[in-house]
Amino acid sequence: MPEPQPSSRIDLTHDPAALKALTHPLRVRLLGLLRADGPATASELAATTGETSASTSYHLRVLARHGFVSEAPARDARERRWQAAHTLTTWDNEALLAQPGGEVFLATSRRQQVDHLARTLDRHEADLAAGRLAPAWRAAAHLDDYELRLTPASAAELAREFAARAAELAARDAGNPEAARVVVVTAALPVAGHPDSPRTEESTGADAGPAQDGEAP
């Protein structure tokens, strides 16, 4: 069976059943593992996630039913391997929220991305401590947060420009032996002010710059 193409996407905007299937955290993790690490059996994924092979097998079949995964070529007649059918899952927020279950899916997916970030930070720190990463990565790794004042149009523009630049850099570094897998998580989450405690522009910290973690240069 063919491997998923590098630019292939699955759009969930108008597929409520697929949206519901991806609200289960284990399914999201299994799909992420297949996309990141390549084809695997249910037993291999069970060992990675700490689940039973019966559980991973069931959830892989659900993912297959909705087109997220497909069977991969087997290494022998006794095994059943799975592969991701696409490299990206996409949706349009505005159109998604008009679909049944769209609001639940959006909220759940964002929480799952936060969980993914936490697991990635744990793995990053363990890899640094064990010497599995080149010393240069200690300075290059960063975890930043900014508080800006933006319009909805500017926030959307920021997301588009970041995605375009990330794709450009990934294409430039493709095949470079110094390149490593880098997990990039972005967020732009507007929050409303408290009407009973107005704040001035100077007190918002909008011009204070990023607050960086200890690994940042």
Side-chain angles (χ1 to χ4, degrees), residues 9-20 22 66 68 89-92 96 99 105:
R9 299 168 180 251
I10 181 169
D11 191 326
L12 304 187
T13 303
H14 302 290
D15 192 344
L19 289 176
K20 185 176 181 180
L22 270 196
H66 294 284
F68 294 108
T89 302
T90 63
W91 58 82
D92 176 87
L96 176 70
Q99 304 299 313
F105 169 78

Side-chain angles (χ1 to χ4, degrees), residues 146-150 199-210:
Y146 302 82
E147 187 170 327
L148 311 173
R149 293 186 64 83
L150 300 174
R199 301 174 67 188
T200 65
E201 179 109 2
E202 289 74 22
S203 69
T204 62
D207 296 325

Side-chain angles (χ1 to χ4, degrees), residues 13-83:
T13 303
H14 302 290
D15 192 344
L19 289 176
K20 185 176 181 180
L22 270 196
T23 58
H24 194 289
L26 180 56
R27 290 174 200 155
V28 174
R29 191 172 181 197
L30 293 174
L31 180 57
L33 288 169
L34 291 175
R35 286 177 174 175
D37 300 331
T41 66
S43 295
E44 290 168 340
L45 292 168
T48 300
T49 60
E51 300 287 334
T52 66
S53 58
S55 177
T56 55
S57 180
Y58 167 76
H59 289 295
L60 286 165
R61 292 197 300 272
V62 174
L63 290 170
R65 190 183 312 142
H66 294 284
F68 294 108
V69 304
S70 60
E71 287 193 52
R75 291 167 296 197
D76 60 57
R78 297 172 299 173
E79 72 171 10
R80 188 179 192 184
R81 300 174 79 218
W82 298 92
Q83 64 185 4

Side-chain angles (χ1 to χ4, degrees), residues 23-199:
T23 58
H24 194 289
L26 180 56
R27 290 174 200 155
V28 174
R29 191 172 181 197
L30 293 174
L31 180 57
L33 288 169
L34 291 175
R35 286 177 174 175
D37 300 331
T41 66
S43 295
E44 290 168 340
L45 292 168
T48 300
T49 60
E51 300 287 334
T52 66
S53 58
S55 177
T56 55
S57 180
Y58 167 76
H59 289 295
L60 286 165
R61 292 197 300 272
V62 174
L63 290 170
R65 190 183 312 142
H66 294 284
F68 294 108
V69 304
S70 60
E71 287 193 52
R75 291 167 296 197
D76 60 57
R78 297 172 299 173
E79 72 171 10
R80 188 179 192 184
R81 300 174 79 218
W82 298 92
Q83 64 185 4
H86 312 85
T87 56
L88 293 172
T89 302
T90 63
W91 58 82
D92 176 87
N93 280 350
E94 185 174 6
L96 176 70
L97 291 172
Q99 304 299 313
E103 188 170 352
V104 172
F105 169 78
L106 195 58
T108 302
S109 67
R110 287 172 174 173
R111 293 293 177 183
Q112 290 169 341
Q113 287 169 321
V114 171
D115 292 341
H116 176 50
L117 175 60
R119 290 195 302 270
T120 301
L121 179 58
D122 289 343
R123 179 172 175 179
H124 166 72
E125 292 175 342
D127 287 344
L128 282 175
R132 290 187 290 264
L133 291 171
W137 285 112
R138 186 175 293 277
H142 54 93
L143 182 61
D144 308 328
D145 64 87
Y146 302 82
E147 187 170 327
L148 311 173
R149 293 186 64 83
L150 300 174
T151 63
S154 293
E157 181 181 348
L158 178 62
R160 290 193 300 270
E161 292 191 3
F162 184 91
R165 180 58 173 158
E168 179 185 336
L169 292 174
R172 186 187 72 183
D173 291 347
N176 188 323
E178 295 183 359
R181 186 195 309 170
V182 176
V183 176
V184 179
V185 179
T186 65
L189 304 174
V191 293
H194 297 290
D196 56 341
S197 57
R199 301 174 67 188

